[in-house]
Amino acid sequence: RVLFRSVTFNSLIDAAIRCRDLPAATKLLEQMKNSGISPDLITYSTLIKGFCDQGDIEVALNLLQHLKAQNMKCDEILYNSLLEGCVKSNQSQRGLDLFQEMIRDRVPVSNITFSIMIKLYANAGRLDQAMELVKRMEPDYRVKPSNIVFSCVTKCLAAAHQYHRAAKMLLGLPSVGFQPDQQMYALILPGLIEQKQFDYALDVFEAL
C-alpha cells in the first residue's frame, strides 16, 4: 500500500489547479484530511490561488479563515493571490481591508503587493489615492518603488485616459533617480497626441 504524504497531496492539488479543475482540487483536500494528513500553508496557498484566479473570492476567503483558525502564519504570496482575486472580482474594499490586515499582521509587502493595490484603487476610480500610496511606499512601508509599480501606474492612468498626468509623472521620475523604460513612454504617447497635449507629447517623444 502506498502511503501518501502532504507533499504528495500538495503536488496533486497543484496539478488540479493548473488544469483549472477546482472540484478535483477540493476533493483532494477532503481526501487529504480523511487520510489524517493536515493541510499546510502550501496546501492552502495553492487552493487560494486557484480560486482567486477564477474569480471565486468567497471560497478563497473562507479558506483563509480555515488557515488562520489553525494558527498558521500567512505569507506575502498568499495575500498577493487574495488581492489579485479581489481585483478580478471587483471587490476593491475587500482588497483594501486585506492590505490593512497584512500590515497589521506584519506580513512583508513588496512592489508586487503595491502594484496590485494600485489596480484595486484604479478599479474603484480612486487614482488619487493610488498615487498617494506610491508616494508613501518608501517613507511608510520601507519599500522603494520600482519599474513594476510605475509601469502599473502608467497603465492605470492610460486606461483612465489621464495621459497628461502619466506624462507628468514619467517625466519627473529621472529627477528622483528612476529612469522609466521605453514601453511606459510609448504607452501614453498616442493618447497625448489624440488629446492634443502636444507639449507633453514632444517631451515624451524626446525622452523616448
Side-chain angles (χ1 to χ4, degrees):
R1 185 184 173 190
V2 178
L3 289 175
F4 282 76
R5 296 181 301 159
S6 61
V7 66
T8 310
F9 274 108
N10 287 343
S11 297
L12 290 169
I13 289 169
D14 183 57
I17 292 294
R18 288 175 188 274
C19 294
R20 303 181 72 82
D21 191 344
L22 293 179
T26 306
K27 189 174 180 181
L28 282 163
L29 176 65
E30 292 307 314
Q31 288 177 355
M32 188 177 188
K33 291 176 181 176
N34 292 338
S35 300
I37 300 169
S38 299
D40 56 18
L41 184 61
I42 294 172
T43 316
Y44 283 112
S45 292
T46 305
L47 284 163
I48 284 171
K49 186 176 188 314
F51 282 102
C52 285
D53 283 348
Q54 294 203 23
D56 200 337
I57 193 68
E58 298 299 334
V59 176
L61 289 170
N62 191 37
L63 287 166
L64 176 68
Q65 295 313 311
H66 278 290
L67 186 157
K68 288 194 161 192
Q70 294 173 55
N71 294 318
M72 291 187 198
K73 185 163 176 62
C74 305
D75 61 11
E76 183 204 342
I77 294 171
L78 187 146
Y79 270 110
N80 284 350
S81 292
L82 285 164
L83 291 174
E84 279 285 10
C86 290
V87 172
K88 288 188 177 180
S89 58
N90 263 333
Q91 303 243 8
S92 301
Q93 190 54 53
R94 269 193 167 158
L96 298 176
D97 292 342
L98 281 166
F99 179 71
Q100 291 305 320
E101 194 175 297
M102 275 183 92
I103 302 303
R104 202 167 51 244
D105 292 347
R106 299 182 184 277
V107 178
V109 289
S110 69
N111 270 272
I112 293 172
T113 311
F114 284 103
S115 68
I116 303 168
M117 290 302 299
I118 290 160
K119 288 187 278 186
L120 275 168
Y121 276 121
N123 279 2
R126 296 158 68 179
L127 278 169
D128 286 346
Q129 286 165 283
M131 301 289 279
E132 185 60 33
L133 182 64
V134 174
K135 287 180 188 173
R136 288 169 40 218
M137 279 177 63
E138 199 164 5
D140 289 8
Y141 303 103
R142 311 245 191 286
V143 179
K144 187 176 178 65
S146 75
N147 190 48
I148 295 169
V149 163
F150 290 124
S151 178
C152 187
V153 173
T154 305
K155 286 175 184 172
C156 290
L157 287 171
H161 303 290
Q162 296 187 24
Y163 299 107
H164 69 288
R165 195 174 183 186
K168 193 173 179 182
M169 177 191 75
L170 292 180
L171 292 166
L173 289 178
S175 66
V176 293
F178 183 86
Q179 186 59 51
D181 63 37
Q182 290 186 343
Q183 286 182 322
M184 292 187 205
Y185 288 124
L187 179 66
I188 63 169
L189 186 57
L192 289 168
I193 294 169
E194 186 182 335
Q195 292 182 349
K196 297 183 170 35
Q197 302 272 353
F198 296 125
D199 288 344
Y200 276 124
L202 184 57
D203 289 340
V204 165
F205 181 73
E206 287 176 352
L208 179 60

